[in-house]
Amino acid sequence: MVLVEVRDLLAFPTGENATDTEIGGIHFNLTTLNFWNYTYYSNNTLSNGSYCFLVDKPYTPPALLLNGTFLNSTSCYLATEPIGNRARAGIGFAVGFALTLVFVLVNLKKHGQLHLPPEKRFIPIGRRWQWYWAIFICTAALIGLFTGIDVDRYRVPQLPIVLNVFFWFLMQMGTMALVWESVRHWGSWMERQYIDPDPFVLRQNDKRGMFEFWLPLFFYFWLWLNFFLIVPRNWGKIELQRSPDQTIENAIPAATDGRFKAAVFCLLVCWLTIMVSLWHSINHYEPRNRGFFNRIIGFLGYMPFRFTLLVPLSLAVIGYQGLCAWDFTASPLNVNTDLLAMYLGGYAPTLLILIVQVIAGFMRPNEDRELIRQRRERGASIDRDLGLVRKPAWWRRVNGDLPNESMRDRIMRNVREVGGGRPTTRHIERLAEQRAADLESGGAANRSSVIEMNEMHRTSTRSSVSNPPPYSPYEGKSDTRRSERAVQLAAGLLFPGSNLSNPENAGASVERGRGLELEGDPPRRPGTSERSSSTVSGLSTTSPPQQIRSMLDV
């Protein structure tokens, strides 16, 4: 409790007579002031409980009517005063939080960007939560600090003091969430590196996995309990600091009640949960040490250096909030608080936590890139053990194997190299026309020299095969028909004795394959089956077998 030695109620100054008073060089009817229950305060204000007016120069009303109305009056609840030390210090911290917000956004883009396919076990938002909370902290701090400027400018405390402390409490909760997400995600990152060589080395439904599942829920339960103990309340009593009596009777009991004290206990449970999460990650994903002292040394050695700063700073945040719950003189809820204690205990730890996070974010690489580097190192180590030598990166580019080329692009590139479609058909047609012309001009003597493969000697029951008819290119638009003509032409050049060289004979062979008798064909022997035209042969069973001299004869 704060002891008040001087009361702020003043008697009306004496005027020209008993019914006159002079305030700010202006004479007012004292009888009218007393009738409407106006009271004169030491901060140069007049108030009757419903209305409040400024009466010092240059805000002194020029006249007072009999109905209690002041002419050209100025309300007490306006920002009419110059900024004070609280506002100046708040502007300096606001600049620091604004600059930090810029670097937080840069780190969010750096660490939130994906370079590997997302995994269900490690969702991308998990690594971004700490930066989302950092953005929330900066936003709440900026709003609270800029509204704190009007705390000095209001002669009578009003809404600005409520907004200032409201967003300060939100900033404190966001700070604890930021530290929690940093520690939790570090454990998740250690797990991801641990299982990357072997995804089945750790199960998700074992005791370790279930503990990691329930621990975040436990933390946020206590954090939201802190929120509901602080935020839903009657904030109007915090504004009642317009006189020492009001401060003692209303503001101090409201600012140091049991709910604020219980909220500090909730934050302490959150901090202990952070320490448990840190211990859990080191215990499962780092080498274990034997002995009590060795485990303590290992715990401090395996813990990242940024956590050695974040953990004590977060504990300082809780300590100052606990101090405010018991001592009103150092609380930001006090209009006339101790500014050194308020900014060093209330805003400096949070700003330092953000700065440590930003610096650590710039020093650490993107997790996907780091995982790619580790996989590359493991692959190089395995290759050295096996004696394999990988070709350099430029080898694939020189041979046309582009790193970002899709399978479709590779197939199309191979097709363009080999050929296909209508260009290939036109090439075959030109080759067939050239060979047919050479056969016609050179006769049967040049036939063996024109065709690359040697003719197969066979004895046919039919008459000798005459020269193939002159080739007439297909002039239609059907690609299917054009391909068939090209195949028939190629078959006629490679196998002159077959029916594939003549479309009419090809049709007849198809009919024979269906078991139909054609006119002029010799009768089939009973008990035998007719083969298709592709394998028909007129060789006798007593003749020597064919001699295949190369694979081209097949």
Side-chain angles (χ1 to χ4, degrees), residues 297-333:
I297 296 173
F299 179 83
L300 298 177
Y302 294 133
M303 183 172 59
F305 178 72
R306 60 189 174 114
F307 291 156
T308 60
L309 300 176
L310 296 182
V311 170
L313 289 173
S314 61
L315 186 60
V317 169
I318 301 173
Y320 177 73
Q321 188 168 330
L323 177 64
C324 296
W326 272 271
D327 187 3
F328 184 73
T329 57
S331 175
L333 284 75

Side-chain angles (χ1 to χ4, degrees), residues 250-548:
N250 299 284
I252 294 178
T256 58
D257 62 357
R259 294 181 60 182
F260 280 114
K261 294 180 175 67
V264 176
F265 172 76
C266 294
L267 284 187
L268 183 60
V269 175
C270 292
W271 186 84
L272 294 176
T273 307
I274 293 173
M275 298 303 297
V276 171
S277 176
L278 192 59
W279 169 83
H280 171 83
S281 300
I282 294 176
N283 185 44
H284 285 85
Y285 309 122
E286 295 289 356
R288 297 184 180 182
N289 296 328
R290 294 185 177 181
F292 178 76
F293 292 102
N294 290 333
R295 289 183 179 180
I296 295 177
I297 296 173
F299 179 83
L300 298 177
Y302 294 133
M303 183 172 59
F305 178 72
R306 60 189 174 114
F307 291 156
T308 60
L309 300 176
L310 296 182
V311 170
L313 289 173
S314 61
L315 186 60
V317 169
I318 301 173
Y320 177 73
Q321 188 168 330
L323 177 64
C324 296
W326 272 271
D327 187 3
F328 184 73
T329 57
S331 175
L333 284 75
N334 186 3
V335 176
N336 301 315
T337 186
D338 186 356
L339 297 180
L340 184 62
M342 171 183 170
Y343 284 105
L344 288 183
Y347 288 94
T350 301
L351 184 59
L352 290 177
I353 288 174
L354 290 175
I355 292 174
V356 171
Q357 275 289 102
V358 167
I359 295 176
F362 281 121
M363 295 178 63
R364 290 182 290 113
N366 181 279
E367 294 179 5
D368 285 353
R369 292 183 181 274
E370 177 64 18
L371 211 59
I372 293 173
R373 185 191 65 80
Q374 294 179 9
R375 292 175 180 177
R376 189 182 297 113
E377 289 184 354
R378 287 198 302 269
S381 176
I382 294 174
D383 292 342
R384 285 194 301 269
D385 296 340
L386 297 177
L388 300 178
V389 178
R390 297 288 181 181
K391 293 190 171 48
W394 56 265
W395 182 270
R396 300 177 64 185
R397 293 193 294 269
V398 169
N399 290 273
D401 191 3
L402 301 179
N404 297 327
E405 187 178 21
S406 63
M407 183 58 66
R408 178 183 177 87
D409 296 336
R410 292 185 182 184
I411 294 175
M412 294 302 297
R413 179 164 53 82
N414 294 337
V415 170
R416 287 193 296 268
E417 291 178 359
V418 176
R422 300 188 64 180
T424 303
T425 304
R426 288 195 296 267
H427 178 69
I428 294 177
E429 292 175 353
R430 287 195 299 269
L431 182 62
E433 292 176 358
Q434 180 181 358
R435 289 182 178 179
D438 293 341
L439 287 175
E440 290 180 359
S441 60
N446 293 334
R447 187 175 306 172
S448 61
S449 62
V450 174
I451 302 178
E452 294 181 2
M453 65 172 289
N454 295 328
E455 294 186 4
M456 301 176 66
H457 301 284
R458 64 185 69 186
T459 304
S460 176
T461 57
R462 301 191 181 194
S463 60
S464 62
V465 180
S466 59
N467 292 336
Y471 175 76
S472 58
Y474 178 68
E475 301 296 339
K477 298 182 179 180
S478 176
D479 293 338
T480 304
R481 183 57 181 160
R482 184 179 288 101
S483 301
E484 292 177 356
R485 291 292 298 273
V487 171
Q488 292 171 2
L489 177 61
L493 294 176
L494 297 176
F495 305 100
S498 64
N499 291 330
L500 295 174
S501 61
N502 192 347
E504 297 178 358
N505 294 339
S509 63
V510 172
E511 295 297 333
R512 292 192 193 96
R514 294 175 180 174
L516 300 178
E517 296 289 346
L518 298 179
E519 184 179 357
D521 286 345
R524 291 184 294 177
R525 291 177 297 171
T528 62
S529 61
E530 192 72 24
R531 295 183 180 181
S532 63
S533 59
S534 61
T535 58
V536 66
S537 175
L539 296 178
S540 173
T541 57
T542 59
S543 61
Q546 301 180 17
Q547 298 296 327
I548 300 177

Side-chain angles (χ1 to χ4, degrees), residues 52-55 58-61 71-78 80:
C52 182
F53 304 101
L54 301 179
V55 293
Y59 308 108
T60 307
L71 299 180
N72 297 331
S73 60
T74 303
S75 175
C76 298
Y77 308 114
L78 295 177
T80 58

Side-chain angles (χ1 to χ4, degrees), residues 102-408:
V102 177
F103 297 119
V104 167
L105 294 175
V106 174
N107 277 281
L108 174 61
K109 183 180 185 303
K110 174 185 176 181
H111 295 280
Q113 193 172 9
L114 297 180
H115 300 278
L116 290 174
E119 304 176 24
K120 185 178 180 180
R121 191 169 181 175
F122 305 100
I123 56 178
I125 197 174
R127 71 177 77 169
R128 300 170 185 166
W129 265 118
Q130 53 185 320
W131 305 110
Y132 291 154
W133 279 115
I135 295 174
F136 174 82
I137 293 171
C138 293
T139 304
L142 289 174
I143 296 175
L145 289 170
F146 280 117
T147 55
I149 297 175
D150 287 338
V151 175
D152 288 340
R153 299 193 64 203
Y154 273 65
R155 186 177 302 181
V156 177
Q158 191 62 17
L159 183 62
I161 184 63
V162 174
L163 294 177
N164 179 247
V165 297
F166 177 81
F167 285 99
W168 177 77
F169 278 112
L170 292 181
M171 183 191 70
Q172 301 288 294
M173 288 182 280
T175 303
M176 297 304 299
L178 169 63
V179 177
W180 158 255
E181 287 296 336
S182 301
V183 173
R184 182 207 58 80
H185 174 65
W186 177 74
S188 176
W189 166 234
M190 297 300 294
E191 180 188 3
R192 188 179 183 188
Q193 295 178 93
Y194 192 85
I195 69 171
D196 187 63
D198 184 8
F200 304 101
V201 68
L202 293 177
R203 295 184 302 169
Q204 290 184 269
N205 57 352
D206 58 351
K207 185 184 296 183
R208 175 203 56 85
M210 298 308 297
F211 182 82
E212 294 178 356
F213 173 78
W214 290 106
L215 194 62
L217 301 178
F218 181 81
F219 173 85
Y220 280 109
F221 168 77
W222 289 98
L223 187 67
W224 286 114
L225 189 59
N226 173 270
F227 173 83
F228 287 114
L229 285 173
I230 291 177
V231 174
R233 64 170 54 245
N234 182 15
W235 290 94
K237 292 185 178 181
I238 304 300
E239 301 177 6
L240 300 179
Q241 304 180 45
R242 297 152 190 170
S243 67
D245 291 340
Q246 279 188 341
T247 304
I248 295 174
E249 296 176 0
N250 299 284
I252 294 178
T256 58
D257 62 357
R259 294 181 60 182
F260 280 114
K261 294 180 175 67
V264 176
F265 172 76
C266 294
L267 284 187
L268 183 60
V269 175
C270 292
W271 186 84
L272 294 176
T273 307
I274 293 173
M275 298 303 297
V276 171
S277 176
L278 192 59
W279 169 83
H280 171 83
S281 300
I282 294 176
N283 185 44
H284 285 85
Y285 309 122
E286 295 289 356
R288 297 184 180 182
N289 296 328
R290 294 185 177 181
F292 178 76
F293 292 102
N294 290 333
R295 289 183 179 180
I296 295 177
I297 296 173
F299 179 83
L300 298 177
Y302 294 133
M303 183 172 59
F305 178 72
R306 60 189 174 114
F307 291 156
T308 60
L309 300 176
L310 296 182
V311 170
L313 289 173
S314 61
L315 186 60
V317 169
I318 301 173
Y320 177 73
Q321 188 168 330
L323 177 64
C324 296
W326 272 271
D327 187 3
F328 184 73
T329 57
S331 175
L333 284 75
N334 186 3
V335 176
N336 301 315
T337 186
D338 186 356
L339 297 180
L340 184 62
M342 171 183 170
Y343 284 105
L344 288 183
Y347 288 94
T350 301
L351 184 59
L352 290 177
I353 288 174
L354 290 175
I355 292 174
V356 171
Q357 275 289 102
V358 167
I359 295 176
F362 281 121
M363 295 178 63
R364 290 182 290 113
N366 181 279
E367 294 179 5
D368 285 353
R369 292 183 181 274
E370 177 64 18
L371 211 59
I372 293 173
R373 185 191 65 80
Q374 294 179 9
R375 292 175 180 177
R376 189 182 297 113
E377 289 184 354
R378 287 198 302 269
S381 176
I382 294 174
D383 292 342
R384 285 194 301 269
D385 296 340
L386 297 177
L388 300 178
V389 178
R390 297 288 181 181
K391 293 190 171 48
W394 56 265
W395 182 270
R396 300 177 64 185
R397 293 193 294 269
V398 169
N399 290 273
D401 191 3
L402 301 179
N404 297 327
E405 187 178 21
S406 63
M407 183 58 66
R408 178 183 177 87

